[in-house]
Amino acid sequence: MGTGNQPEQPADLQEVRIAFIGCGRNARGHMRRLESIPGARIVGVCDVVPALAGEAASATGATAYHDYCALLDRPDLDAVYLSLPVFAHGKPEMAVIERGLPFFVEKPVALDLATAQEIAGRVARAGLLACVGYQLRYCGSTDAARESLAMPDAGPIGLATGTYWCGTGRSQPGHWRTTMARSGGQLVEQATHTLDMMRFLAGEIAEVFAMYSRQVLPPEFGDCPDVHAVALRFAGGGAGTLSATWAIHPEDWSRANLVDVAFGERRLHWSATGLTVAHGRATEERSRPDRSIDAVFVDAVRRGDGSAIRSPYADGVRSLAVALAANESARRGAPVRVEAL
Ligand SMILES: NC(=O)c1ccc[n+]([C@@H]2O[C@H](COP(=O)([O-])OP(=O)(O)OC[C@H]3O[C@@H](n4cnc5c(N)ncnc54)[C@H](O)[C@@H]3O)[C@@H](O)[C@H]2O)c1
């Protein structure tokens, strides 16, 4: 077993044996990152497409499965990663919870709120550690932003704007990601990262008023809206906006996943790679070390302590709820309170 790339690790470090349900592109990224985390060992990988499970097994030294129940019947698992298309959530999580296993689940946590809330209830009743894949919460720029917003003379948060412009909608005709009934569209599947970061920096979002359109992409690129404008009201009293499109050139990521916040006399500009705080004519770059969500999760499982997890399952459900409220608002043509969903 193993690929020979395992890092040096202390002899007494307790191994964390990990299974994967879903071996698609995103899962393979987590597998690569886990290889460099001391004590993390991938022992089983499952995909309904046997070739994908086989490839992941060859890359990691794990055993391949095409049925997640057979994978979960292994007696040696410490934790499970679920990296599934949005529509596939529900039964796999229930099976993981039934076996009492801590899990990491990719965002968004589900396609609909009823499924997400059912899973959240079971996680809470089982007292399980569950981490949602909002990895941007662990960026150094995020720590620097939260510290800036919490400075004693920071002043109240007035305005927060999020931007997610990219070309993902053009990449794969017929893909589940650009089919509304399978992904929930760009805000649920992708710009959820920006909404989640706006929540993490500026607080809970109470109400949304969304306008969507299908304006740019030709019909072969699925049936989702391709431009989105959303007005937001924060529970703390501030206002905000989110603009999102996945119809621009697929190589242009320069305006993807950005958040600006006006607080007191200052403003900040956040991205995954940096933070700028401006006060009058003075601007300052602020940074803190990045942390790996995978390392935080593995360590939490090893210690049986989820306190370092910044997006526990129930919190991930709240980010899903904001995106679903925006979808509902666009459908109705009226503002929607998130808690009324
Ligand atoms: N955090 C991030 O930055 C980030 C980045 C990319 C994708 N994602 C998320 O990761 C998830 C997966 O995205 P992806 O791009 O890897 O998609 P993908 O389609 O490449 O991979 C999903 C895999 O799950 C498999 N699958 C479906 N149902 C299954 C089941 N019941 N049992 C086992 N396998 C099953 C599919 O065959 C597929 O190989 C999505 O939720 C996506 O939003 C997160």
mmCIF file of all heavy atoms in Angstrom, residues 21-27 30 46-49 52 66 68 83-89 92 106-108 133-135 175-177 189 193, ligand 1:
data_model
loop_
_atom_site.group_PDB
_atom_site.id
_atom_site.type_symbol
_atom_site.label_atom_id
_atom_site.label_comp_id
_atom_site.label_asym_id
_atom_site.label_seq_id
_atom_site.Cartn_x
_atom_site.Cartn_y
_atom_site.Cartn_z
ATOM 1 N N ILE A 21 -15.736 8.604 -1.143
ATOM 2 C CA ILE A 21 -16.912 8.315 -1.969
ATOM 3 C C ILE A 21 -16.960 9.410 -3.025
ATOM 4 O O ILE A 21 -17.185 10.580 -2.714
ATOM 5 C CB ILE A 21 -18.209 8.282 -1.133
ATOM 6 C CG1 ILE A 21 -18.076 7.281 0.014
ATOM 7 C CG2 ILE A 21 -19.399 7.943 -2.021
ATOM 8 C CD1 ILE A 21 -19.307 7.203 0.930
ATOM 9 N N GLY A 22 -16.734 9.025 -4.264
ATOM 10 C CA GLY A 22 -16.578 9.979 -5.357
ATOM 11 C C GLY A 22 -15.099 10.174 -5.640
ATOM 12 O O GLY A 22 -14.328 10.543 -4.732
ATOM 13 N N CYS A 23 -14.683 9.860 -6.858
ATOM 14 C CA CYS A 23 -13.262 9.976 -7.234
ATOM 15 C C CYS A 23 -13.099 10.897 -8.432
ATOM 16 O O CYS A 23 -12.231 10.682 -9.280
ATOM 17 C CB CYS A 23 -12.689 8.593 -7.569
ATOM 18 S SG CYS A 23 -12.687 7.453 -6.187
ATOM 19 N N GLY A 24 -13.932 11.915 -8.520
ATOM 20 C CA GLY A 24 -13.835 12.863 -9.629
ATOM 21 C C GLY A 24 -12.680 13.821 -9.433
ATOM 22 O O GLY A 24 -11.790 13.622 -8.593
ATOM 23 N N ARG A 25 -12.742 14.889 -10.203
ATOM 24 C CA ARG A 25 -11.612 15.819 -10.260
ATOM 25 C C ARG A 25 -11.286 16.427 -8.898
ATOM 26 O O ARG A 25 -10.125 16.495 -8.493
ATOM 27 C CB ARG A 25 -12.000 16.912 -11.251
ATOM 28 C CG ARG A 25 -10.877 17.761 -11.630
ATOM 29 C CD ARG A 25 -11.272 18.659 -12.741
ATOM 30 N NE ARG A 25 -10.236 19.683 -12.844
ATOM 31 C CZ ARG A 25 -10.220 20.622 -13.739
ATOM 32 N NH1 ARG A 25 -11.164 20.683 -14.626
ATOM 33 N NH2 ARG A 25 -9.254 21.504 -13.749
ATOM 34 N N ASN A 26 -12.312 16.876 -8.211
ATOM 35 C CA ASN A 26 -12.061 17.531 -6.922
ATOM 36 C C ASN A 26 -11.511 16.536 -5.894
ATOM 37 O O ASN A 26 -10.597 16.852 -5.126
ATOM 38 C CB ASN A 26 -13.359 18.170 -6.424
ATOM 39 C CG ASN A 26 -13.198 18.728 -5.038
ATOM 40 O OD1 ASN A 26 -12.452 19.660 -4.819
ATOM 41 N ND2 ASN A 26 -13.875 18.107 -4.092
ATOM 42 N N ALA A 27 -12.065 15.325 -5.893
ATOM 43 C CA ALA A 27 -11.585 14.303 -4.951
ATOM 44 C C ALA A 27 -10.096 14.021 -5.171
ATOM 45 O O ALA A 27 -9.331 13.884 -4.209
ATOM 46 C CB ALA A 27 -12.399 13.021 -5.122
ATOM 47 N N HIS A 30 -7.976 16.456 -3.345
ATOM 48 C CA HIS A 30 -7.869 16.149 -1.908
ATOM 49 C C HIS A 30 -6.917 14.966 -1.694
ATOM 50 O O HIS A 30 -6.120 14.966 -0.749
ATOM 51 C CB HIS A 30 -9.240 15.816 -1.330
ATOM 52 C CG HIS A 30 -10.108 17.022 -1.121
ATOM 53 N ND1 HIS A 30 -9.830 17.986 -0.178
ATOM 54 C CD2 HIS A 30 -11.249 17.425 -1.746
ATOM 55 C CE1 HIS A 30 -10.771 18.928 -0.222
ATOM 56 N NE2 HIS A 30 -11.629 18.609 -1.169
ATOM 57 N N CYS A 46 -14.072 4.921 -3.800
ATOM 58 C CA CYS A 46 -15.275 4.409 -4.449
ATOM 59 C C CYS A 46 -15.799 5.405 -5.469
ATOM 60 O O CYS A 46 -15.871 6.606 -5.190
ATOM 61 C CB CYS A 46 -16.330 4.165 -3.365
ATOM 62 S SG CYS A 46 -17.959 3.825 -4.030
ATOM 63 N N ASP A 47 -16.160 4.890 -6.628
ATOM 64 C CA ASP A 47 -16.874 5.714 -7.605
ATOM 65 C C ASP A 47 -17.811 4.795 -8.377
ATOM 66 O O ASP A 47 -17.483 3.625 -8.615
ATOM 67 C CB ASP A 47 -15.902 6.417 -8.576
ATOM 68 C CG ASP A 47 -16.543 7.629 -9.241
ATOM 69 O OD1 ASP A 47 -17.478 7.447 -10.072
ATOM 70 O OD2 ASP A 47 -16.135 8.769 -8.924
ATOM 71 N N VAL A 48 -18.978 5.337 -8.742
ATOM 72 C CA VAL A 48 -19.907 4.539 -9.543
ATOM 73 C C VAL A 48 -19.346 4.278 -10.938
ATOM 74 O O VAL A 48 -19.806 3.387 -11.639
ATOM 75 C CB VAL A 48 -21.306 5.213 -9.645
ATOM 76 C CG1 VAL A 48 -22.054 5.125 -8.330
ATOM 77 C CG2 VAL A 48 -21.196 6.665 -10.115
ATOM 78 N N VAL A 49 -18.357 5.058 -11.330
ATOM 79 C CA VAL A 49 -17.633 4.774 -12.586
ATOM 80 C C VAL A 49 -16.384 3.979 -12.197
ATOM 81 O O VAL A 49 -15.425 4.545 -11.654
ATOM 82 C CB VAL A 49 -17.246 6.091 -13.305
ATOM 83 C CG1 VAL A 49 -16.467 5.799 -14.581
ATOM 84 C CG2 VAL A 49 -18.490 6.929 -13.595
ATOM 85 N N LEU A 52 -12.820 5.269 -12.786
ATOM 86 C CA LEU A 52 -12.337 6.382 -11.951
ATOM 87 C C LEU A 52 -11.868 5.875 -10.589
ATOM 88 O O LEU A 52 -10.856 6.337 -10.050
ATOM 89 C CB LEU A 52 -13.441 7.434 -11.775
ATOM 90 C CG LEU A 52 -13.792 8.220 -13.035
ATOM 91 C CD1 LEU A 52 -14.956 9.167 -12.759
ATOM 92 C CD2 LEU A 52 -12.579 9.001 -13.531
ATOM 93 N N HIS A 66 -16.988 0.118 -6.240
ATOM 94 C CA HIS A 66 -17.965 0.901 -6.995
ATOM 95 C C HIS A 66 -19.287 1.012 -6.241
ATOM 96 O O HIS A 66 -20.230 1.633 -6.717
ATOM 97 C CB HIS A 66 -18.174 0.350 -8.409
ATOM 98 C CG HIS A 66 -18.678 -1.056 -8.454
ATOM 99 N ND1 HIS A 66 -17.850 -2.146 -8.537
ATOM 100 C CD2 HIS A 66 -19.933 -1.534 -8.387
ATOM 101 C CE1 HIS A 66 -18.576 -3.242 -8.525
ATOM 102 N NE2 HIS A 66 -19.842 -2.908 -8.430
ATOM 103 N N TYR A 68 -20.614 2.228 -2.446
ATOM 104 C CA TYR A 68 -20.106 2.839 -1.203
ATOM 105 C C TYR A 68 -20.479 2.031 0.037
ATOM 106 O O TYR A 68 -19.806 2.106 1.057
ATOM 107 C CB TYR A 68 -20.534 4.306 -1.084
ATOM 108 C CG TYR A 68 -22.014 4.562 -0.968
ATOM 109 C CD1 TYR A 68 -22.692 4.402 0.220
ATOM 110 C CD2 TYR A 68 -22.734 4.989 -2.077
ATOM 111 C CE1 TYR A 68 -24.053 4.643 0.326
ATOM 112 C CE2 TYR A 68 -24.092 5.236 -1.991
ATOM 113 C CZ TYR A 68 -24.748 5.054 -0.788
ATOM 114 O OH TYR A 68 -26.089 5.288 -0.692
ATOM 115 N N SER A 83 -17.133 13.475 -2.120
ATOM 116 C CA SER A 83 -16.953 14.509 -3.145
ATOM 117 C C SER A 83 -17.817 14.109 -4.334
ATOM 118 O O SER A 83 -17.361 13.420 -5.251
ATOM 119 C CB SER A 83 -15.481 14.617 -3.530
ATOM 120 O OG SER A 83 -15.325 15.615 -4.521
ATOM 121 N N LEU A 84 -19.074 14.516 -4.277
ATOM 122 C CA LEU A 84 -20.110 14.004 -5.174
ATOM 123 C C LEU A 84 -20.723 15.134 -5.981
ATOM 124 O O LEU A 84 -20.719 16.293 -5.544
ATOM 125 C CB LEU A 84 -21.215 13.354 -4.330
ATOM 126 C CG LEU A 84 -20.795 12.112 -3.543
ATOM 127 C CD1 LEU A 84 -21.852 11.765 -2.500
ATOM 128 C CD2 LEU A 84 -20.561 10.946 -4.496
ATOM 129 N N PRO A 85 -21.348 14.804 -7.114
ATOM 130 C CA PRO A 85 -22.162 15.822 -7.778
ATOM 131 C C PRO A 85 -23.264 16.277 -6.823
ATOM 132 O O PRO A 85 -23.703 15.507 -5.954
ATOM 133 C CB PRO A 85 -22.765 15.070 -8.968
ATOM 134 C CG PRO A 85 -21.929 13.848 -9.143
ATOM 135 C CD PRO A 85 -21.366 13.508 -7.807
ATOM 136 N N VAL A 86 -23.737 17.495 -6.992
ATOM 137 C CA VAL A 86 -24.661 18.067 -6.014
ATOM 138 C C VAL A 86 -25.908 17.195 -5.826
ATOM 139 O O VAL A 86 -26.389 16.989 -4.713
ATOM 140 C CB VAL A 86 -25.047 19.512 -6.421
ATOM 141 C CG1 VAL A 86 -25.936 20.137 -5.366
ATOM 142 C CG2 VAL A 86 -23.800 20.361 -6.622
ATOM 143 N N PHE A 87 -26.430 16.640 -6.940
ATOM 144 C CA PHE A 87 -27.679 15.869 -6.857
ATOM 145 C C PHE A 87 -27.509 14.547 -6.114
ATOM 146 O O PHE A 87 -28.500 13.922 -5.741
ATOM 147 C CB PHE A 87 -28.212 15.587 -8.275
ATOM 148 C CG PHE A 87 -27.298 14.711 -9.103
ATOM 149 C CD1 PHE A 87 -27.344 13.333 -9.009
ATOM 150 C CD2 PHE A 87 -26.367 15.281 -9.962
ATOM 151 C CE1 PHE A 87 -26.486 12.527 -9.756
ATOM 152 C CE2 PHE A 87 -25.498 14.495 -10.711
ATOM 153 C CZ PHE A 87 -25.564 13.110 -10.600
ATOM 154 N N ALA A 88 -26.283 14.090 -5.896
ATOM 155 C CA ALA A 88 -26.055 12.738 -5.350
ATOM 156 C C ALA A 88 -25.986 12.701 -3.820
ATOM 157 O O ALA A 88 -25.774 11.640 -3.234
ATOM 158 C CB ALA A 88 -24.778 12.153 -5.953
ATOM 159 N N HIS A 89 -26.157 13.857 -3.166
ATOM 160 C CA HIS A 89 -26.080 13.864 -1.697
ATOM 161 C C HIS A 89 -27.343 13.278 -1.082
ATOM 162 O O HIS A 89 -28.414 13.323 -1.672
ATOM 163 C CB HIS A 89 -25.891 15.298 -1.176
ATOM 164 C CG HIS A 89 -24.542 15.848 -1.478
ATOM 165 N ND1 HIS A 89 -23.417 15.440 -0.811
ATOM 166 C CD2 HIS A 89 -24.142 16.750 -2.402
ATOM 167 C CE1 HIS A 89 -22.372 16.094 -1.301
ATOM 168 N NE2 HIS A 89 -22.785 16.883 -2.270
ATOM 169 N N PRO A 92 -25.659 8.604 0.628
ATOM 170 C CA PRO A 92 -24.278 8.310 1.062
ATOM 171 C C PRO A 92 -23.980 8.871 2.454
ATOM 172 O O PRO A 92 -23.378 8.182 3.296
ATOM 173 C CB PRO A 92 -23.424 8.981 -0.012
ATOM 174 C CG PRO A 92 -24.304 9.009 -1.235
ATOM 175 C CD PRO A 92 -25.687 9.243 -0.718
ATOM 176 N N GLU A 106 -17.893 17.823 0.430
ATOM 177 C CA GLU A 106 -17.688 19.014 -0.395
ATOM 178 C C GLU A 106 -18.932 19.877 -0.418
ATOM 179 O O GLU A 106 -20.049 19.397 -0.266
ATOM 180 C CB GLU A 106 -17.289 18.608 -1.830
ATOM 181 C CG GLU A 106 -15.796 18.626 -2.054
ATOM 182 C CD GLU A 106 -15.159 19.977 -1.705
ATOM 183 O OE1 GLU A 106 -15.876 20.985 -1.583
ATOM 184 O OE2 GLU A 106 -13.934 20.019 -1.548
ATOM 185 N N LYS A 107 -18.684 21.153 -0.560
ATOM 186 C CA LYS A 107 -19.774 22.106 -0.768
ATOM 187 C C LYS A 107 -20.341 21.899 -2.159
ATOM 188 O O LYS A 107 -19.601 21.421 -3.020
ATOM 189 C CB LYS A 107 -19.336 23.542 -0.579
ATOM 190 C CG LYS A 107 -18.032 23.989 -1.198
ATOM 191 C CD LYS A 107 -17.693 23.738 -2.612
ATOM 192 C CE LYS A 107 -18.567 24.300 -3.686
ATOM 193 N NZ LYS A 107 -18.061 24.042 -5.054
ATOM 194 N N PRO A 108 -21.594 22.277 -2.422
ATOM 195 C CA PRO A 108 -22.638 22.556 -1.457
ATOM 196 C C PRO A 108 -23.097 21.247 -0.824
ATOM 197 O O PRO A 108 -22.939 20.184 -1.421
ATOM 198 C CB PRO A 108 -23.755 23.144 -2.328
ATOM 199 C CG PRO A 108 -23.585 22.455 -3.647
ATOM 200 C CD PRO A 108 -22.104 22.271 -3.822
ATOM 201 N N GLY A 133 -16.452 21.498 2.805
ATOM 202 C CA GLY A 133 -15.250 21.911 2.075
ATOM 203 C C GLY A 133 -15.169 23.372 1.676
ATOM 204 O O GLY A 133 -14.841 23.684 0.523
ATOM 205 N N TYR A 134 -15.436 24.263 2.610
ATOM 206 C CA TYR A 134 -15.229 25.699 2.372
ATOM 207 C C TYR A 134 -13.793 26.042 2.762
ATOM 208 O O TYR A 134 -13.535 26.671 3.794
ATOM 209 C CB TYR A 134 -16.250 26.525 3.158
ATOM 210 C CG TYR A 134 -17.652 26.430 2.581
ATOM 211 C CD1 TYR A 134 -18.658 25.734 3.227
ATOM 212 C CD2 TYR A 134 -17.950 27.030 1.356
ATOM 213 C CE1 TYR A 134 -19.935 25.639 2.684
ATOM 214 C CE2 TYR A 134 -19.224 26.941 0.799
ATOM 215 C CZ TYR A 134 -20.206 26.248 1.472
ATOM 216 O OH TYR A 134 -21.465 26.154 0.923
ATOM 217 N N GLN A 135 -12.853 25.653 1.903
ATOM 218 C CA GLN A 135 -11.435 25.754 2.253
ATOM 219 C C GLN A 135 -10.948 27.194 2.356
ATOM 220 O O GLN A 135 -9.932 27.468 2.995
ATOM 221 C CB GLN A 135 -10.573 24.968 1.242
ATOM 222 C CG GLN A 135 -10.356 25.620 -0.102
ATOM 223 C CD GLN A 135 -11.489 25.326 -1.075
ATOM 224 O OE1 GLN A 135 -12.521 24.785 -0.709
ATOM 225 N NE2 GLN A 135 -11.300 25.668 -2.334
ATOM 226 N N HIS A 175 -22.745 18.669 -18.932
ATOM 227 C CA HIS A 175 -22.231 18.302 -17.602
ATOM 228 C C HIS A 175 -23.301 18.562 -16.543
ATOM 229 O O HIS A 175 -24.111 19.489 -16.687
ATOM 230 C CB HIS A 175 -20.987 19.148 -17.298
ATOM 231 C CG HIS A 175 -20.186 18.652 -16.138
ATOM 232 N ND1 HIS A 175 -20.483 18.983 -14.844
ATOM 233 C CD2 HIS A 175 -19.105 17.835 -16.088
ATOM 234 C CE1 HIS A 175 -19.606 18.403 -14.027
ATOM 235 N NE2 HIS A 175 -18.761 17.695 -14.757
ATOM 236 N N TRP A 176 -23.304 17.769 -15.438
ATOM 237 C CA TRP A 176 -24.281 17.984 -14.369
ATOM 238 C C TRP A 176 -24.197 19.403 -13.805
ATOM 239 O O TRP A 176 -25.179 19.976 -13.350
ATOM 240 C CB TRP A 176 -24.121 16.937 -13.252
ATOM 241 C CG TRP A 176 -22.787 16.912 -12.535
ATOM 242 C CD1 TRP A 176 -21.747 16.070 -12.770
ATOM 243 C CD2 TRP A 176 -22.356 17.789 -11.472
ATOM 244 N NE1 TRP A 176 -20.690 16.354 -11.936
ATOM 245 C CE2 TRP A 176 -21.043 17.398 -11.116
ATOM 246 C CE3 TRP A 176 -22.952 18.845 -10.784
ATOM 247 C CZ2 TRP A 176 -20.310 18.035 -10.113
ATOM 248 C CZ3 TRP A 176 -22.223 19.489 -9.779
ATOM 249 C CH2 TRP A 176 -20.925 19.077 -9.459
ATOM 250 N N ARG A 177 -22.989 19.988 -13.834
ATOM 251 C CA ARG A 177 -22.773 21.298 -13.203
ATOM 252 C C ARG A 177 -23.634 22.390 -13.837
ATOM 253 O O ARG A 177 -24.041 23.330 -13.170
ATOM 254 C CB ARG A 177 -21.278 21.646 -13.303
ATOM 255 C CG ARG A 177 -20.879 22.896 -12.565
ATOM 256 C CD ARG A 177 -19.372 23.012 -12.411
ATOM 257 N NE ARG A 177 -18.884 22.210 -11.313
ATOM 258 C CZ ARG A 177 -18.057 21.164 -11.435
ATOM 259 N NH1 ARG A 177 -17.620 20.773 -12.620
ATOM 260 N NH2 ARG A 177 -17.669 20.494 -10.377
ATOM 261 N N GLU A 189 -23.814 25.878 -6.659
ATOM 262 C CA GLU A 189 -22.677 24.974 -6.862
ATOM 263 C C GLU A 189 -21.326 25.669 -6.709
ATOM 264 O O GLU A 189 -20.373 25.068 -6.223
ATOM 265 C CB GLU A 189 -22.788 24.341 -8.260
ATOM 266 C CG GLU A 189 -21.978 23.060 -8.445
ATOM 267 C CD GLU A 189 -20.514 23.297 -8.722
ATOM 268 O OE1 GLU A 189 -20.173 24.310 -9.368
ATOM 269 O OE2 GLU A 189 -19.693 22.460 -8.304
ATOM 270 N N HIS A 193 -19.074 29.634 -2.593
ATOM 271 C CA HIS A 193 -17.830 30.014 -1.909
ATOM 272 C C HIS A 193 -17.851 31.504 -1.535
ATOM 273 O O HIS A 193 -17.411 31.890 -0.454
ATOM 274 C CB HIS A 193 -16.621 29.750 -2.806
ATOM 275 C CG HIS A 193 -16.127 28.344 -2.778
ATOM 276 N ND1 HIS A 193 -15.695 27.721 -1.634
ATOM 277 C CD2 HIS A 193 -15.981 27.422 -3.766
ATOM 278 C CE1 HIS A 193 -15.301 26.488 -1.911
ATOM 279 N NE2 HIS A 193 -15.468 26.279 -3.190
HETATM 280 N N1 LIG B 1 -14.095 23.215 -2.602
HETATM 281 C C1 LIG B 1 -13.822 23.470 -3.873
HETATM 282 O O1 LIG B 1 -13.118 24.434 -4.188
HETATM 283 C C2 LIG B 1 -14.370 22.588 -4.948
HETATM 284 C C3 LIG B 1 -13.793 22.596 -6.226
HETATM 285 C C4 LIG B 1 -14.346 21.777 -7.194
HETATM 286 C C5 LIG B 1 -15.460 20.993 -6.905
HETATM 287 N N2 LIG B 1 -15.990 21.024 -5.659
HETATM 288 C C6 LIG B 1 -17.157 20.218 -5.314
HETATM 289 O O2 LIG B 1 -16.794 18.852 -5.288
HETATM 290 C C7 LIG B 1 -17.891 18.052 -5.682
HETATM 291 C C8 LIG B 1 -17.460 17.162 -6.837
HETATM 292 O O3 LIG B 1 -17.058 17.972 -7.923
HETATM 293 P P1 LIG B 1 -16.175 17.368 -9.114
HETATM 294 O O4 LIG B 1 -15.804 18.516 -9.972
HETATM 295 O O5 LIG B 1 -15.096 16.503 -8.591
HETATM 296 O O6 LIG B 1 -17.271 16.493 -9.877
HETATM 297 P P2 LIG B 1 -17.035 15.150 -10.693
HETATM 298 O O7 LIG B 1 -18.279 14.903 -11.484
HETATM 299 O O8 LIG B 1 -15.736 15.221 -11.412
HETATM 300 O O9 LIG B 1 -16.875 14.043 -9.538
HETATM 301 C C9 LIG B 1 -17.937 13.480 -8.836
HETATM 302 C C10 LIG B 1 -17.762 11.963 -8.864
HETATM 303 O O10 LIG B 1 -18.717 11.349 -8.013
HETATM 304 C C11 LIG B 1 -19.079 10.114 -8.606
HETATM 305 N N3 LIG B 1 -20.336 9.634 -8.015
HETATM 306 C C12 LIG B 1 -21.601 10.080 -8.223
HETATM 307 N N4 LIG B 1 -22.472 9.397 -7.437
HETATM 308 C C13 LIG B 1 -21.741 8.508 -6.709
HETATM 309 C C14 LIG B 1 -22.054 7.529 -5.716
HETATM 310 N N5 LIG B 1 -23.316 7.334 -5.303
HETATM 311 N N6 LIG B 1 -21.063 6.786 -5.202
HETATM 312 C C15 LIG B 1 -19.776 6.986 -5.611
HETATM 313 N N7 LIG B 1 -19.415 7.895 -6.544
HETATM 314 C C16 LIG B 1 -20.380 8.655 -7.079
HETATM 315 C C17 LIG B 1 -19.161 10.438 -10.099
HETATM 316 O O11 LIG B 1 -19.091 9.280 -10.902
HETATM 317 C C18 LIG B 1 -17.964 11.370 -10.256
HETATM 318 O O12 LIG B 1 -16.797 10.679 -10.639
HETATM 319 C C19 LIG B 1 -19.008 19.030 -6.029
HETATM 320 O O13 LIG B 1 -19.827 19.207 -4.900
HETATM 321 C C20 LIG B 1 -18.296 20.319 -6.314
HETATM 322 O O14 LIG B 1 -19.086 21.462 -6.067
HETATM 323 C C21 LIG B 1 -15.452 21.790 -4.678
#
